[in-house]
Amino acid sequence: MDPEARDDGRRDPDEHDDEAPRWPRYAIALAVLLVVVLVTAWAAGLQLAPPSPDGGSTDAVRLGPASGEDVGAYLARTADVPAPADPSPRLALVQFDTTLDPAAAAAALGRTTPLQAVVRVPFPRVQTALHQVDTPPAAPAAALAAALTTAGGEAGAAVSTAAGSSSPADARRVTVARAEAAALARPGCACLVAAVVRVDPAAVAAVRRGPGVRAVEVAPPGTSRTRLAVSPLLPDQGPGRPDGPVVGPVPDDGPVPGG
């Protein structure tokens, strides 16, 4: 058509018909290509990224004997831990042969780094609380002494919480907690039953030979403290000991000191 013949401002609808949609088609093609590249990179990243130390699992890692477990069998399975392929430090539960004061516990732990103290006041045939207290950054004996102080504060708080209850069971709990708080307030209380430490795998055998150490159970490589569940073997549990050869509830029929 002669351009001059079209003077009414209208455009031939067929003119440039093939060029008008070209830019959207190019944009769509580029967008699709970009999505493919991003998805491919994401998938490659999943394959190449190393797994987290915990393997992405939220399951707890338990250290200590199970309820109802034979103490001899537990000690046997903690005595032989295969040398790990990963030589990096690992968490371990060091359990004492008897309750220890901070100085004796620090000597038992050797050159390990204590991270948590497990505290229990040893009243014969009395159920006392098991306090698991994170240790402050300090020399081992001082850190363990601070843990006793914290446990004493927890016992005192238990007294305040249960005060005013009228049932015999609650009254006994208050009496026990009050006696615990008094014992933990005394300097050098022999109330440490175990500790969670960080230890080099090569040093585990030496820790087992430490004075007053009964058992050392080592966590799997890469276990974090947030996944750790600790329930230590108590000194009175075992063959020939007051609480018998099987792990179970602590007897609670004895008199409470000062009660």
Side-chain angles (χ1 to χ4, degrees), residues 50-57 86 220-224 227:
S52 65
D54 289 341
S57 172
D86 182 0
T223 300
S224 66
R227 287 182 57 201

Side-chain angles (χ1 to χ4, degrees), residues 138-214:
L144 295 170
L148 292 182
T149 300
T150 300
E154 292 177 356
V159 174
S160 300
T161 301
S165 300
S166 57
S167 72
D170 287 338
R172 180 175 174 86
R173 278 194 290 271
V174 169
T175 302
V176 171
R178 187 177 291 117
E180 286 182 82
L184 290 166
R186 292 192 287 269
C189 177
C191 299
L192 291 157
V193 297
V196 174
V197 303
R198 182 176 288 113
V199 59
D200 291 330
V204 171
V207 176
R208 285 199 176 103
R209 294 191 299 268
V213 173
R214 188 181 188 190

Side-chain angles (χ1 to χ4, degrees), residues 76-84 90 201 204 208 216-220:
R77 71 179 173 88
T78 62
D80 183 22
V81 177
R90 296 164 66 176
V204 171
R208 285 199 176 103
V216 179
E217 186 176 2
V218 183

Side-chain angles (χ1 to χ4, degrees), residues 53-236:
D54 289 341
S57 172
T58 58
D59 294 338
V61 174
R62 179 188 177 91
L63 295 183
S67 179
E69 184 172 7
D70 179 82
V71 173
Y74 172 71
L75 293 175
R77 71 179 173 88
T78 62
D80 183 22
V81 177
D86 182 0
S88 58
R90 296 164 66 176
L91 299 178
L93 177 64
V94 181
Q95 298 154 97
F96 305 137
D97 192 57
T98 187
T99 52
L100 300 178
D101 62 35
L109 297 177
R111 296 183 179 181
T112 64
T113 302
L115 304 175
Q116 185 184 76
V118 184
V119 179
R120 181 177 181 270
V121 179
F123 297 149
R125 302 191 68 84
V126 174
Q127 285 187 359
T128 53
L130 201 65
H131 302 272
Q132 298 180 14
V133 182
D134 290 343
T135 54
L144 295 170
L148 292 182
T149 300
T150 300
E154 292 177 356
V159 174
S160 300
T161 301
S165 300
S166 57
S167 72
D170 287 338
R172 180 175 174 86
R173 278 194 290 271
V174 169
T175 302
V176 171
R178 187 177 291 117
E180 286 182 82
L184 290 166
R186 292 192 287 269
C189 177
C191 299
L192 291 157
V193 297
V196 174
V197 303
R198 182 176 288 113
V199 59
D200 291 330
V204 171
V207 176
R208 285 199 176 103
R209 294 191 299 268
V213 173
R214 188 181 188 190
V216 179
E217 186 176 2
V218 183
T223 300
S224 66
R225 291 184 64 192
T226 57
R227 287 182 57 201
L228 211 58
V230 172
S231 181
L233 180 64
L234 300 179
D236 282 350

